[in-house]
Amino acid sequence: MDLTKGLARVSLAAAEVAALRTAGALIEDPRRERPRYFDGRFLAARDLIRDQQYILTREADLGQAAGSGVAAGLDVDAGGAGDRLAVSAGHGVTPAGELVLLPRDVELRLADVRRAEQLSARFGLGRIAHPPLRNRTGLFVLALRPVEFTAGPIGAYPTSITGKRTVEDGDIIEATAIVLVPWDDDGAADALQARRGRAAAAIFAAGGAGALSSNVLPLAMVALQNNVVAWVDVPMVRRELGADRADLPGLGHAPRALRLAHLLQHQAHLADVLQVGGRAFAAREQFPALPPAGPLPPGIIDTRDFTQRYFPPEMAVDFSIIPEDELPALVEEALTLPPIDLEADADTLEATAVLILAPVPRNEWRVVSGRLATRTRALRPAAVNLVATRKPLEILQKLRIPRVVIAPEPADPSTAEWARLAALPGLWFARRRNLAYRDELAGEAVRLASLEIRSDVVVNRLQAIGLDTSLNRVLERATPLAASEASALLASPRFADSPALTAAALSELSKAETVDRAAVLRVAADLSAPGVGDGLVKLETARVDTVPSKTALREIADGGDWRGADTAAAAATKAELAPLANKVLRPQVVRTVAAPGATPVPRGTAAAAAGSAPVPSAEVPPAAAPAGKAAGAKG
């Protein structure tokens, strides 16, 4: 293999080159010319320089193939003083394919205006070469620029007989310069926060990020007020390596990384706005454009009449609930849609729909759903003089006149639950697609448990562990729908495998004043919360050859303090677990009775509870009877 040619590069003869040039089928790249060495050629400095330029050009081409952005580090943060910025060590690639590197953390003093302005003017990074000012104010992009300079002077021999020896720098040193690029926003004199929103709209909604030079790597946008940092917005211009490559070719309005950066930038901007405080505000007062999904400030919904003034009144806004672990998936789906232009015309806004989401923990989902009459509630706009913006014909036809707001009944449990959800601090919004479908259904879904589940599994299992009386007391007070929900709850795998949790569920159901569906759902949410019941399971599994005694289970079901035992067992050590289990569950040694020839069923499973349940050897705690003797006792 000839390493000077490579495997796929073909060397053309002079005649073939002439023919291809004539046909226009030979495309030459003047950047990739390099010297051809042969014996007898006079070697000059320009030849070696052309070699270096060729290699640098090839490296830049390879760098562009992987995309531009930050590869690692290069985090920007406001320093201790108001006129300083700290940049951490790291490296990245500029859009031109050049590598920039900071080998150590750097603290930049912005008060040194002359040096920063000289760099900007020399490299041509701004449209206007600003003079060095001591009171610089406005928006700037903190960026890294690859530079090089010469050093290491050495003696140079004359190139002619009459020439003299000179001194030249013998080394070329590559370095990285930190520069401040003035952001061109027409020199607006508005407040810096307002200019921040317009800059975000220009970058994420109008594609204005390309205004920066391809020779710099942007790290953050900085707002300066007389050389003092007002705010630092990193997601505005910082992109990770390869983020400029679209993840869905031909689909979507922008690469996913750019859409995600818009969401992160909006979160940071909203947090800064809320930190300043003040009255409630409309979105267009701070953000000319919103990402297709993002967090909301608290208190945007007026729970007295369920109106909102955050989004423009022309937009259709609905309020709904969602399991909190499904929120990231919905946000990811919404990010495929374009940003929300809040400064668009009325017709465009009327064609835009937004869904406000209240995240609900998974264990509380059925409880919250049971309190609501519907899963979605429409929110009315709270804007004044909305009718005055309509055309006379529209008003006469009563097409878009806002309906009269009817004060909700305070005693309505569904309205009260909507009001509680609207007051939650972690509301999100997501842009909705305009699809021709309806999700309203007539009637209500009712979950029913089959007779086989209730009689063959739940009743038989609870009778085997001595809790049939407690179950009957609960079912006598339960409504038919609540009885089916309770049967489904006790037949679920987690409760079927744990007699102690079953007793705890019966204890909570017996304490309810009215055993209706809502009460059963509350108990299910309580016992399904993270960490609840784990201590009881640890007590049951402290010894694999024992099960809780019927007496202990009945005491728990009759109102025993199972929560205290659950908390204590969850924090107990292995040495403390056995004495605590003897005190709370008073376990007894068992042996599994199976039919001749049948496969033994593991203890604690639902199949074991329904079929060959463990038979206790004696209703005696292990402390009173040794394990070896109890195992051999008569069943």
Side-chain angles (χ1 to χ4, degrees):
M1 181 177 67
D2 189 354
L3 297 179
T4 63
K5 296 181 179 180
L7 294 178
R9 189 174 300 172
V10 179
S11 181
L12 301 177
E16 190 174 1
V17 171
L20 290 175
R21 281 178 175 172
T22 304
L26 185 64
I27 293 87
E28 302 177 50
D29 186 357
R31 303 175 307 147
R32 296 191 181 184
E33 295 179 357
R34 66 182 188 271
R36 178 176 176 268
Y37 298 110
F38 53 88
D39 295 338
R41 172 175 175 168
F42 184 80
L43 184 62
R46 61 177 179 272
D47 300 321
L48 299 179
I49 294 176
R50 287 178 59 196
D51 268 347
Q52 293 179 344
Q53 290 176 343
Y54 173 80
I55 294 175
L56 293 176
T57 302
R58 294 277 291 175
E59 289 181 350
D61 291 341
L62 293 175
Q64 287 180 320
S68 62
V70 177
L74 301 181
D75 298 317
V76 180
D77 192 11
D83 62 341
R84 294 179 181 272
L85 286 177
V87 184
S88 65
H91 63 282
V93 180
T94 68
E98 296 287 343
L99 177 67
V100 288
L101 171 68
L102 290 184
R104 63 183 184 278
D105 297 345
V106 178
E107 188 174 42
L108 177 66
R109 186 173 183 269
L110 299 178
D112 191 4
V113 180
R114 175 177 298 180
R115 180 181 179 185
E117 290 292 354
Q118 286 178 348
L119 286 174
S120 297
R122 181 186 303 173
F123 298 139
L125 304 181
R127 296 184 179 180
I128 302 175
H130 296 271
L133 302 175
R134 285 295 180 182
N135 56 347
R136 184 163 49 185
T137 299
L139 302 185
F140 300 87
V141 175
L142 184 71
L144 299 182
R145 167 77 187 245
V147 295
E148 63 181 30
F149 58 93
T150 61
I154 59 175
Y157 290 93
T159 58
S160 63
I161 299 177
T162 60
K164 298 181 180 180
R165 292 192 60 179
T166 58
V167 176
E168 298 287 345
D169 290 338
D171 298 323
I172 298 178
I173 300 177
E174 296 182 356
T176 300
I178 302 178
V179 296
L180 283 173
V181 184
W183 178 258
D184 184 17
D185 58 350
D186 300 329
D190 295 352
L192 293 178
Q193 284 291 353
R195 297 171 67 177
R196 181 179 185 179
R198 283 199 301 271
I203 291 175
F204 297 109
L212 293 176
S213 171
S214 61
N215 295 323
V216 297
L217 177 64
L219 298 184
M221 181 169 286
V222 183
L224 298 181
Q225 185 71 39
N226 297 329
N227 287 332
V228 177
V229 178
W231 49 261
V232 178
D233 197 323
V234 175
M236 184 91 75
V237 295
R238 176 192 172 103
R239 303 291 180 264
E240 301 303 321
L241 183 62
D244 52 349
R245 302 299 181 186
D247 54 342
L248 298 175
L251 302 177
H253 71 283
R256 178 186 178 278
L258 183 64
R259 304 192 296 264
L260 181 59
H262 192 188
L263 172 59
L264 297 177
Q265 189 276 332
H266 177 70
Q267 284 184 284
H269 193 177
L270 179 61
D272 291 344
V273 172
L274 295 178
Q275 187 175 6
V276 176
R279 61 177 181 85
F281 60 93
R284 63 175 57 176
E285 296 178 5
Q286 299 287 342
F287 316 108
L290 291 175
L296 288 170
I300 69 163
I301 300 177
D302 191 345
T303 57
R304 296 172 298 179
D305 52 5
F306 286 92
T307 59
Q308 62 84 26
R309 63 180 300 267
Y310 188 73
F311 295 99
E314 296 87 356
M315 294 175 57
V317 182
D318 291 334
F319 186 30
S320 184
I321 59 175
I322 186 175
E324 61 180 1
D325 53 359
E326 295 182 9
L327 181 61
L330 185 61
V331 171
E332 183 75 23
E333 180 183 357
L335 288 180
T336 59
L337 299 175
I340 303 174
D341 186 4
L342 299 180
E343 296 182 344
D345 55 84
D347 293 336
T348 302
L349 293 176
E350 287 179 358
T352 304
V354 172
L355 186 64
I356 295 180
L357 302 169
V360 177
R362 175 68 68 174
N363 63 296
E364 300 178 5
W365 172 253
R366 295 182 62 197
V367 180
V368 175
S369 300
R371 296 171 184 168
L372 302 177
T374 59
R375 294 283 179 86
T376 304
R377 179 164 190 147
L379 299 179
R380 304 180 182 90
V384 295
N385 296 329
L386 184 61
V387 179
T389 63
R390 303 300 182 188
K391 298 179 180 179
L393 181 60
E394 294 175 342
I395 298 177
L396 293 177
Q397 292 177 341
K398 299 182 179 180
L399 294 179
R400 300 174 182 174
I401 296 180
R403 293 175 294 178
V404 178
V405 176
I406 302 176
E409 290 290 338
D412 183 6
S414 178
T415 302
E417 183 64 15
W418 280 118
R420 185 189 70 84
L421 293 172
L424 294 176
L427 300 183
W428 279 65
F429 73 91
R431 182 169 184 170
R432 303 182 68 176
R433 290 180 172 86
N434 290 322
L435 299 178
Y437 70 89
R438 295 174 58 89
D439 54 359
E440 297 87 355
L441 298 176
E444 180 182 359
V446 178
R447 179 177 178 179
L448 298 177
S450 63
L451 295 177
E452 290 78 11
I453 292 179
R454 179 175 173 183
S455 59
D456 296 343
V457 177
V458 178
V459 176
N460 289 345
R461 182 172 65 86
L462 267 64
Q463 186 177 6
I465 60 179
L467 296 178
D468 52 335
T469 304
S470 302
L471 175 64
N472 293 332
R473 285 200 302 265
V474 171
L475 296 181
E476 289 174 357
R477 301 171 49 224
T479 62
L481 187 57
S484 65
E485 288 285 354
S487 299
L489 172 65
L490 297 178
S492 60
R494 188 165 187 257
F495 291 88
D497 292 341
S498 175
L501 281 179
T502 302
L506 293 174
S507 174
E508 295 301 313
L509 291 174
S510 62
K511 296 177 183 178
E513 297 181 0
T514 303
V515 184
D516 53 5
R517 182 171 180 266
V520 179
L521 293 178
R522 282 194 298 269
V523 172
D526 184 15
L527 295 180
S528 301
V532 177
D534 293 346
L536 295 180
V537 175
K538 287 179 62 177
L539 292 178
E540 289 178 313
T541 57
R543 289 183 56 181
V544 296
D545 59 341
T546 63
V547 293
S549 66
K550 296 181 179 180
T551 304
L553 294 177
R554 284 193 292 266
E555 290 179 358
I556 295 177
D558 293 340
D561 184 19
W562 66 270
R563 293 185 184 273
D566 181 40
T567 304
T573 62
K574 188 175 182 180
E576 299 170 346
L577 207 57
L580 187 58
N582 293 335
K583 178 181 177 182
V584 176
L585 301 180
R586 298 194 290 279
Q588 54 190 26
V589 181
V590 297
R591 56 185 175 86
T592 302
V593 178
T599 302
V601 181
R603 183 187 68 84
T605 61
S612 57
V615 178
S617 61
E619 187 94 11
V620 181
K629 296 181 180 180
K634 185 178 180 180

